[in-house]
Amino acid sequence: MLINQELCIGCGQCVPYCPVNAITVTNRKAHINAELCVECSCCKRSRVCPKNAIEQDHLEWPRAVRSVMSDVFTVFEGTNVSGRGTEEMKTNDVTGRFRPGWVGVAVEVGRPIAAATFRQVQEIAMTLASTKLVQFEPCNPITTLMTDNTTGQFKEEILDERVYSAILEFSVPMEKLPDVLELCGKAASKTQTVFSLDVCSVTTDDQHAKVAQIIRDAGITTLRPNGKVNLGLGKPAAQF
């Protein structure tokens, strides 16, 4: 993103709309710090600029990856899905990816203000993959940016690109969830950014309750249940 200096009047109305504090006003003009900007386009979509001075400049690779992972309206060409995750995270059990006896795990690295670089995402991904327990979801846009989805290593040219957040996704057998949670604890102790942990489970045979107990037994007490209900509008692509 950039601000047309000829049009800008320095009113500062755009400043609070930047989730990563990349906009400042100096010498009666607003400026976007290109290093901090994650290309989410929140400032432009807010339409608060009275002079329409906020513009989207042309993004080349690898900077273009910032928009893919930060702007919810950017559709990733590899999956045809907007946003940072797979359709499964959006439509619940339609694809049948999360099945009885297994749990889906998502680690969302970065958030507003904090954001994250792919170097930080890689650090967490490699920690998760270190025991060969985790193999990252191939349909996730983040995974396609890796050089190897079994090691968590990313392409060298994107490591210093900064994004709003990045979601690492994978599935493991339910009995392996304690090991995954331990790995997440190790990753949390080393990272310089923040991440949230999501665990997805079917409700068959009270599996969701069993998974919740595993999480509590791991010492995670801030469990916040969320539910999505598929109203029968989709047909599972896989049968249990």
Side-chain angles (χ1 to χ4, degrees), residues 61 65 68-69 76 118 140-148 153-155 158:
W61 178 264
V65 76
V68 172
M69 299 304 159
F76 184 66
F118 274 100
N140 182 303
I142 298 295
T143 305
T144 64
L145 298 172
M146 294 179 180
T147 56
D148 187 340
Q153 288 184 298
F154 284 86
K155 298 174 182 178
I158 70 167

PDB file of all heavy atoms in Angstrom, residues 61 65 68-69 76 118 140-148 153-155 158:
ATOM      1  N   TRP A  61       6.369 -10.642  -6.699  1.00  0.00           N
ATOM      2  CA  TRP A  61       6.836 -11.714  -5.824  1.00  0.00           C
ATOM      3  C   TRP A  61       8.243 -11.360  -5.321  1.00  0.00           C
ATOM      4  O   TRP A  61       9.026 -10.822  -6.071  1.00  0.00           O
ATOM      5  CB  TRP A  61       6.895 -13.034  -6.604  1.00  0.00           C
ATOM      6  CG  TRP A  61       7.411 -14.185  -5.795  1.00  0.00           C
ATOM      7  CD1 TRP A  61       8.695 -14.660  -5.759  1.00  0.00           C
ATOM      8  CD2 TRP A  61       6.657 -14.981  -4.886  1.00  0.00           C
ATOM      9  NE1 TRP A  61       8.794 -15.704  -4.887  1.00  0.00           N
ATOM     10  CE2 TRP A  61       7.555 -15.924  -4.323  1.00  0.00           C
ATOM     11  CE3 TRP A  61       5.336 -14.992  -4.473  1.00  0.00           C
ATOM     12  CZ2 TRP A  61       7.157 -16.874  -3.387  1.00  0.00           C
ATOM     13  CZ3 TRP A  61       4.943 -15.941  -3.554  1.00  0.00           C
ATOM     14  CH2 TRP A  61       5.840 -16.853  -3.027  1.00  0.00           C
ATOM     15  N   VAL A  65       3.096 -12.089  -1.528  1.00  0.00           N
ATOM     16  CA  VAL A  65       2.614 -13.083  -0.564  1.00  0.00           C
ATOM     17  C   VAL A  65       2.004 -12.395   0.656  1.00  0.00           C
ATOM     18  O   VAL A  65       1.142 -12.971   1.340  1.00  0.00           O
ATOM     19  CB  VAL A  65       3.765 -14.024  -0.134  1.00  0.00           C
ATOM     20  CG1 VAL A  65       4.715 -13.346   0.840  1.00  0.00           C
ATOM     21  CG2 VAL A  65       3.218 -15.306   0.488  1.00  0.00           C
ATOM     22  N   VAL A  68      -1.684 -12.029  -0.119  1.00  0.00           N
ATOM     23  CA  VAL A  68      -2.349 -13.340  -0.121  1.00  0.00           C
ATOM     24  C   VAL A  68      -2.686 -13.786   1.294  1.00  0.00           C
ATOM     25  O   VAL A  68      -3.754 -14.327   1.566  1.00  0.00           O
ATOM     26  CB  VAL A  68      -1.473 -14.390  -0.821  1.00  0.00           C
ATOM     27  CG1 VAL A  68      -2.067 -15.782  -0.655  1.00  0.00           C
ATOM     28  CG2 VAL A  68      -1.328 -14.056  -2.303  1.00  0.00           C
ATOM     29  N   MET A  69      -1.751 -13.552   2.230  1.00  0.00           N
ATOM     30  CA  MET A  69      -1.930 -14.034   3.592  1.00  0.00           C
ATOM     31  C   MET A  69      -2.556 -13.004   4.542  1.00  0.00           C
ATOM     32  O   MET A  69      -2.863 -13.335   5.678  1.00  0.00           O
ATOM     33  CB  MET A  69      -0.580 -14.476   4.163  1.00  0.00           C
ATOM     34  CG  MET A  69       0.053 -15.609   3.385  1.00  0.00           C
ATOM     35  SD  MET A  69      -1.066 -17.039   3.274  1.00  0.00           S
ATOM     36  CE  MET A  69      -0.385 -17.884   1.848  1.00  0.00           C
ATOM     37  N   PHE A  76      -6.226 -17.221  -3.120  1.00  0.00           N
ATOM     38  CA  PHE A  76      -4.966 -17.885  -3.405  1.00  0.00           C
ATOM     39  C   PHE A  76      -5.133 -18.803  -4.616  1.00  0.00           C
ATOM     40  O   PHE A  76      -6.012 -19.666  -4.647  1.00  0.00           O
ATOM     41  CB  PHE A  76      -4.523 -18.702  -2.189  1.00  0.00           C
ATOM     42  CG  PHE A  76      -3.170 -19.349  -2.349  1.00  0.00           C
ATOM     43  CD1 PHE A  76      -2.032 -18.571  -2.450  1.00  0.00           C
ATOM     44  CD2 PHE A  76      -3.041 -20.722  -2.402  1.00  0.00           C
ATOM     45  CE1 PHE A  76      -0.788 -19.152  -2.595  1.00  0.00           C
ATOM     46  CE2 PHE A  76      -1.801 -21.312  -2.550  1.00  0.00           C
ATOM     47  CZ  PHE A  76      -0.672 -20.523  -2.639  1.00  0.00           C
ATOM     48  N   PHE A 118       7.616 -14.837   7.943  1.00  0.00           N
ATOM     49  CA  PHE A 118       7.687 -16.261   7.634  1.00  0.00           C
ATOM     50  C   PHE A 118       8.886 -16.922   8.306  1.00  0.00           C
ATOM     51  O   PHE A 118       8.885 -18.133   8.517  1.00  0.00           O
ATOM     52  CB  PHE A 118       7.724 -16.482   6.114  1.00  0.00           C
ATOM     53  CG  PHE A 118       6.348 -16.522   5.506  1.00  0.00           C
ATOM     54  CD1 PHE A 118       5.838 -15.416   4.863  1.00  0.00           C
ATOM     55  CD2 PHE A 118       5.562 -17.660   5.612  1.00  0.00           C
ATOM     56  CE1 PHE A 118       4.558 -15.437   4.323  1.00  0.00           C
ATOM     57  CE2 PHE A 118       4.289 -17.700   5.081  1.00  0.00           C
ATOM     58  CZ  PHE A 118       3.784 -16.584   4.433  1.00  0.00           C
ATOM     59  N   ASN A 140      -3.511 -26.321   2.229  1.00  0.00           N
ATOM     60  CA  ASN A 140      -3.397 -25.030   2.895  1.00  0.00           C
ATOM     61  C   ASN A 140      -2.433 -24.136   2.121  1.00  0.00           C
ATOM     62  O   ASN A 140      -1.353 -24.580   1.732  1.00  0.00           O
ATOM     63  CB  ASN A 140      -2.877 -25.258   4.322  1.00  0.00           C
ATOM     64  CG  ASN A 140      -2.775 -23.974   5.119  1.00  0.00           C
ATOM     65  OD1 ASN A 140      -2.108 -23.024   4.721  1.00  0.00           O
ATOM     66  ND2 ASN A 140      -3.421 -23.952   6.267  1.00  0.00           N
ATOM     67  N   PRO A 141      -2.795 -22.861   1.873  1.00  0.00           N
ATOM     68  CA  PRO A 141      -1.904 -21.956   1.138  1.00  0.00           C
ATOM     69  C   PRO A 141      -0.513 -21.846   1.757  1.00  0.00           C
ATOM     70  O   PRO A 141       0.473 -21.720   1.037  1.00  0.00           O
ATOM     71  CB  PRO A 141      -2.640 -20.614   1.194  1.00  0.00           C
ATOM     72  CG  PRO A 141      -4.077 -20.985   1.340  1.00  0.00           C
ATOM     73  CD  PRO A 141      -4.082 -22.214   2.192  1.00  0.00           C
ATOM     74  N   ILE A 142      -0.432 -21.880   3.089  1.00  0.00           N
ATOM     75  CA  ILE A 142       0.861 -21.764   3.762  1.00  0.00           C
ATOM     76  C   ILE A 142       1.773 -22.929   3.384  1.00  0.00           C
ATOM     77  O   ILE A 142       2.967 -22.757   3.144  1.00  0.00           O
ATOM     78  CB  ILE A 142       0.677 -21.723   5.295  1.00  0.00           C
ATOM     79  CG1 ILE A 142      -0.147 -20.496   5.694  1.00  0.00           C
ATOM     80  CG2 ILE A 142       2.032 -21.714   6.002  1.00  0.00           C
ATOM     81  CD1 ILE A 142       0.521 -19.183   5.411  1.00  0.00           C
ATOM     82  N   THR A 143       1.193 -24.132   3.319  1.00  0.00           N
ATOM     83  CA  THR A 143       1.983 -25.325   3.015  1.00  0.00           C
ATOM     84  C   THR A 143       2.609 -25.247   1.630  1.00  0.00           C
ATOM     85  O   THR A 143       3.736 -25.705   1.428  1.00  0.00           O
ATOM     86  CB  THR A 143       1.114 -26.590   3.124  1.00  0.00           C
ATOM     87  OG1 THR A 143       0.501 -26.633   4.410  1.00  0.00           O
ATOM     88  CG2 THR A 143       1.951 -27.850   2.956  1.00  0.00           C
ATOM     89  N   THR A 144       1.895 -24.646   0.677  1.00  0.00           N
ATOM     90  CA  THR A 144       2.432 -24.566  -0.680  1.00  0.00           C
ATOM     91  C   THR A 144       3.655 -23.660  -0.751  1.00  0.00           C
ATOM     92  O   THR A 144       4.396 -23.686  -1.738  1.00  0.00           O
ATOM     93  CB  THR A 144       1.368 -24.043  -1.665  1.00  0.00           C
ATOM     94  OG1 THR A 144       1.015 -22.705  -1.325  1.00  0.00           O
ATOM     95  CG2 THR A 144       0.115 -24.910  -1.614  1.00  0.00           C
ATOM     96  N   LEU A 145       3.889 -22.863   0.284  1.00  0.00           N
ATOM     97  CA  LEU A 145       5.051 -21.980   0.314  1.00  0.00           C
ATOM     98  C   LEU A 145       6.260 -22.641   0.964  1.00  0.00           C
ATOM     99  O   LEU A 145       7.329 -22.049   1.053  1.00  0.00           O
ATOM    100  CB  LEU A 145       4.703 -20.688   1.066  1.00  0.00           C
ATOM    101  CG  LEU A 145       3.585 -19.847   0.446  1.00  0.00           C
ATOM    102  CD1 LEU A 145       3.205 -18.700   1.373  1.00  0.00           C
ATOM    103  CD2 LEU A 145       4.001 -19.312  -0.919  1.00  0.00           C
ATOM    104  N   MET A 146       6.073 -23.878   1.414  1.00  0.00           N
ATOM    105  CA  MET A 146       7.177 -24.623   2.011  1.00  0.00           C
ATOM    106  C   MET A 146       7.983 -25.336   0.929  1.00  0.00           C
ATOM    107  O   MET A 146       7.461 -25.673  -0.140  1.00  0.00           O
ATOM    108  CB  MET A 146       6.643 -25.678   2.992  1.00  0.00           C
ATOM    109  CG  MET A 146       5.967 -25.125   4.221  1.00  0.00           C
ATOM    110  SD  MET A 146       5.359 -26.474   5.301  1.00  0.00           S
ATOM    111  CE  MET A 146       4.630 -25.515   6.641  1.00  0.00           C
ATOM    112  N   THR A 147       9.241 -25.574   1.225  1.00  0.00           N
ATOM    113  CA  THR A 147      10.053 -26.387   0.317  1.00  0.00           C
ATOM    114  C   THR A 147       9.833 -27.859   0.599  1.00  0.00           C
ATOM    115  O   THR A 147      10.057 -28.703  -0.256  1.00  0.00           O
ATOM    116  CB  THR A 147      11.550 -26.064   0.486  1.00  0.00           C
ATOM    117  OG1 THR A 147      11.920 -26.263   1.866  1.00  0.00           O
ATOM    118  CG2 THR A 147      11.841 -24.624   0.106  1.00  0.00           C
ATOM    119  N   ASP A 148       9.371 -28.171   1.809  1.00  0.00           N
ATOM    120  CA  ASP A 148       9.116 -29.554   2.213  1.00  0.00           C
ATOM    121  C   ASP A 148       8.095 -29.537   3.345  1.00  0.00           C
ATOM    122  O   ASP A 148       8.366 -28.996   4.412  1.00  0.00           O
ATOM    123  CB  ASP A 148      10.416 -30.209   2.686  1.00  0.00           C
ATOM    124  CG  ASP A 148      10.254 -31.702   2.960  1.00  0.00           C
ATOM    125  OD1 ASP A 148       9.105 -32.155   3.147  1.00  0.00           O
ATOM    126  OD2 ASP A 148      11.270 -32.408   2.998  1.00  0.00           O
ATOM    127  N   GLN A 153      10.153 -26.252   6.470  1.00  0.00           N
ATOM    128  CA  GLN A 153      11.027 -25.223   5.906  1.00  0.00           C
ATOM    129  C   GLN A 153      10.317 -24.489   4.769  1.00  0.00           C
ATOM    130  O   GLN A 153       9.634 -25.103   3.953  1.00  0.00           O
ATOM    131  CB  GLN A 153      12.323 -25.833   5.388  1.00  0.00           C
ATOM    132  CG  GLN A 153      13.269 -26.281   6.492  1.00  0.00           C
ATOM    133  CD  GLN A 153      14.580 -26.796   5.934  1.00  0.00           C
ATOM    134  OE1 GLN A 153      14.625 -27.774   5.196  1.00  0.00           O
ATOM    135  NE2 GLN A 153      15.659 -26.119   6.284  1.00  0.00           N
ATOM    136  N   PHE A 154      10.499 -23.154   4.733  1.00  0.00           N
ATOM    137  CA  PHE A 154       9.875 -22.332   3.705  1.00  0.00           C
ATOM    138  C   PHE A 154      10.890 -21.884   2.657  1.00  0.00           C
ATOM    139  O   PHE A 154      12.110 -21.986   2.865  1.00  0.00           O
ATOM    140  CB  PHE A 154       9.229 -21.096   4.345  1.00  0.00           C
ATOM    141  CG  PHE A 154       7.944 -21.389   5.055  1.00  0.00           C
ATOM    142  CD1 PHE A 154       7.949 -21.807   6.381  1.00  0.00           C
ATOM    143  CD2 PHE A 154       6.725 -21.263   4.404  1.00  0.00           C
ATOM    144  CE1 PHE A 154       6.759 -22.086   7.046  1.00  0.00           C
ATOM    145  CE2 PHE A 154       5.532 -21.538   5.059  1.00  0.00           C
ATOM    146  CZ  PHE A 154       5.551 -21.958   6.378  1.00  0.00           C
ATOM    147  N   LYS A 155      10.367 -21.378   1.555  1.00  0.00           N
ATOM    148  CA  LYS A 155      11.229 -20.865   0.497  1.00  0.00           C
ATOM    149  C   LYS A 155      12.036 -19.683   1.038  1.00  0.00           C
ATOM    150  O   LYS A 155      11.495 -18.805   1.704  1.00  0.00           O
ATOM    151  CB  LYS A 155      10.385 -20.432  -0.702  1.00  0.00           C
ATOM    152  CG  LYS A 155       9.595 -21.584  -1.332  1.00  0.00           C
ATOM    153  CD  LYS A 155       8.661 -21.100  -2.429  1.00  0.00           C
ATOM    154  CE  LYS A 155       7.850 -22.257  -3.010  1.00  0.00           C
ATOM    155  NZ  LYS A 155       6.903 -21.811  -4.054  1.00  0.00           N
ATOM    156  N   ILE A 158      10.971 -15.801   0.863  1.00  0.00           N
ATOM    157  CA  ILE A 158       9.820 -15.218   1.569  1.00  0.00           C
ATOM    158  C   ILE A 158      10.042 -15.108   3.079  1.00  0.00           C
ATOM    159  O   ILE A 158       9.170 -14.579   3.785  1.00  0.00           O
ATOM    160  CB  ILE A 158       8.534 -16.033   1.317  1.00  0.00           C
ATOM    161  CG1 ILE A 158       8.611 -17.395   2.022  1.00  0.00           C
ATOM    162  CG2 ILE A 158       8.250 -16.169  -0.158  1.00  0.00           C
ATOM    163  CD1 ILE A 158       7.277 -18.108   2.072  1.00  0.00           C
TER     164      ILE A 158
END
